[in-house]
Amino acid sequence: MTEKHVVLEDIDPVVFYGVGNSHLQMIKALYPKLRIVARDNVLRVLGDEEQMNVFCRQIEMMRQHIVKYNRINDEDIIDIINGEKTKDDAVKGVVVYSVSGRPIKSRSENQQKLIDSFEKDDMIFAVGPAGTGKTYLSIALAVKALKEKQAKKIILSRPAVEAGEKLGFLPGDMKDKIDPYLQPLYDALEDMIPAVKLQDMMEKHIIQIAPLAFMRGRTLSDAVVILDEAQNTTSAQIRMFLTRMGWNTKMIVTGDMTQVDLPRETKSGLREAMQILKGIEGISFVELNKKDIVRHKLVTRIVNAYEDYDRNNKRTN
């Protein structure tokens, strides 16, 4: 009788075992000649060596399924054991799957341009109005790179610029004051990575979320680095950020030039950087517009209304 230990790496064991260990009980029933004992993320298996080798291969396929889709059900387990493709394999063009199993993919031509640019170039500027999915899709691309081991870490940053509220008056310590600015980044990650796994990755600094000021002095290598809300950077700040780029690193810079919260006399670093870097090999520029808005239909109407207001104001001033 042979004994082996199978480690369930990079997944939440609770997802693998199922509610009330339902998946584990099913797997045990499908392998009656093996003795299977589970503890944390390790399966201890005893039995015939040949059958155990088959078991280990199929468990690895189940683990990879969970890494890709963030879930697995009874039907998927049976399909894998029977050597059949799971139904989700038929879905094309998916970047990653959400924690609920929803496919995250491009929903417009310009969103697809962002995906294609990420594959082609190491630095991408993605600009467009609110709701065009530039930040969410960028984070999805970063999560995919991490899952496929094309990057060792994800670094997400935003300038902590006050949008009508004073940072100093917020309660708590510095982390408490800054976290509200970074919350949209947390929200996107929580939609794509199970909570337990996300917490573990953040504790191990595989995923890092920090204000732009914390980037100074660092060299960012083997990573996907995203600077969100870059329209609120100064010229010096965005120059500092772009020159943090190290080996095997991809950078995505997102922004919305209609939502600049800098003092009126301060020029947006994003606007300046796009002018200076235009035409440089290895840098892509993706412009999203109203047609790419994927939020509630009212968001498009709101964007249109404000554009009309701005145009009318320019005529009268």
Side-chain angles (χ1 to χ4, degrees):
M1 184 174 284
T2 306
E3 177 178 334
K4 284 189 177 181
H5 289 189
V6 180
V7 181
L8 304 171
E9 294 180 340
D10 299 327
I11 62 170
D12 182 353
V14 175
V15 176
F16 180 87
Y17 296 141
V19 178
N21 286 334
S22 59
H23 295 161
L24 180 61
Q25 296 306 321
M26 182 181 187
I27 291 168
K28 287 181 177 180
L30 291 167
Y31 293 94
K33 294 182 180 179
L34 296 179
R35 187 182 170 206
I36 304 166
V37 180
R39 175 168 292 181
D40 296 328
N41 69 332
V42 178
L43 294 174
R44 180 169 165 260
V45 191
L46 297 92
D48 174 73
E49 185 170 5
E50 187 176 341
Q51 190 174 21
M52 195 179 299
N53 288 336
V54 174
F55 171 83
C56 290
R57 284 198 302 271
Q58 292 177 339
I59 290 297
E60 173 59 16
M61 291 171 68
M62 294 178 203
R63 187 195 70 80
Q64 290 177 5
H65 182 97
I66 295 171
V67 168
K68 183 175 181 180
Y69 300 114
N70 287 318
R71 63 187 174 89
I72 196 165
N73 57 38
D74 293 350
E75 190 176 351
D76 294 328
I77 292 170
I78 292 170
D79 285 344
I80 289 169
I81 290 173
N82 290 338
E84 299 174 7
K85 282 190 173 182
T86 57
K87 290 180 180 178
D88 287 317
D89 289 336
V91 180
K92 302 297 181 184
V94 176
V95 179
V96 291
Y97 286 79
S98 72
V99 292
S100 64
R102 174 177 55 83
I104 298 170
K105 55 191 293 188
S106 67
R107 296 175 63 180
S108 72
E109 184 179 344
N110 288 325
Q111 286 189 357
Q112 187 59 48
K113 282 182 184 176
L114 175 54
I115 294 171
D116 295 340
S117 297
F118 184 81
E119 296 296 325
K120 179 171 65 79
D121 293 317
D122 289 337
M123 185 177 290
I124 303 100
F125 287 81
V127 296
T132 50
K134 54 191 183 293
T135 301
Y136 190 81
L137 193 56
S138 297
I139 291 175
L141 289 166
V143 170
K144 180 186 179 185
L146 190 64
K147 285 189 172 190
E148 295 180 353
K149 302 192 185 302
Q150 295 171 357
K152 293 181 180 178
K153 54 184 178 282
I154 296 173
I155 300 170
L156 308 175
S157 187
R158 268 187 163 197
V161 174
E162 298 158 358
E165 300 149 69
K166 294 296 182 183
L167 184 62
F169 287 103
L170 293 172
D173 58 19
M174 182 55 71
K175 183 179 184 302
D176 293 329
K177 292 175 185 289
I178 287 171
D179 268 357
Y181 291 95
L182 306 175
Q183 192 58 48
L185 306 179
Y186 288 111
D187 291 343
L189 285 169
E190 287 168 356
D191 198 31
M192 300 176 203
I193 301 173
V196 173
K197 187 64 185 172
L198 177 58
Q199 184 65 32
D200 181 60
M201 286 178 162
M202 293 185 74
E203 287 174 359
K204 292 177 179 176
H205 302 290
I206 296 169
I207 295 178
Q208 303 170 28
I209 305 178
L212 180 59
F214 287 34
M215 298 295 108
R216 189 173 297 279
R218 299 181 64 183
T219 300
L220 309 174
S221 300
D222 297 309
V224 178
V225 188
I226 298 172
L227 174 60
D228 192 34
E229 299 287 357
Q231 76 276 3
N232 287 327
T233 59
T234 64
S235 299
Q237 284 175 329
I238 200 162
R239 182 185 295 194
M240 176 274 291
F241 174 81
L242 296 176
T243 54
R244 301 305 94 202
M245 192 174 193
W247 293 107
N248 191 36
T249 288
K250 284 183 179 280
M251 279 188 168
I252 307 177
V253 179
T254 71
D256 176 1
M257 296 313 305
T258 68
Q259 294 188 7
V260 178
D261 298 314
L262 293 167
R264 186 168 294 182
E265 66 278 5
T266 304
K267 185 176 181 180
S268 169
L270 175 60
R271 190 188 302 277
E272 182 180 77
M274 291 176 67
Q275 292 169 350
I276 294 170
L277 302 178
K278 193 170 184 179
I280 292 182
E281 186 179 353
I283 302 179
S284 287
F285 297 87
V286 180
E287 292 192 22
L288 299 104
N289 54 50
K290 292 177 290 183
K291 293 179 181 177
D292 303 301
I293 292 176
V294 292
R295 290 181 185 168
H296 194 285
K297 60 187 177 183
L298 278 176
V299 175
T300 304
R301 296 174 191 168
I302 290 167
V303 170
N304 287 336
Y306 271 94
E307 285 184 354
D308 290 343
Y309 175 81
D310 290 338
R311 276 195 298 269
N312 292 333
N313 258 12
K314 284 178 182 177
R315 290 196 198 103
T316 56
N317 289 338

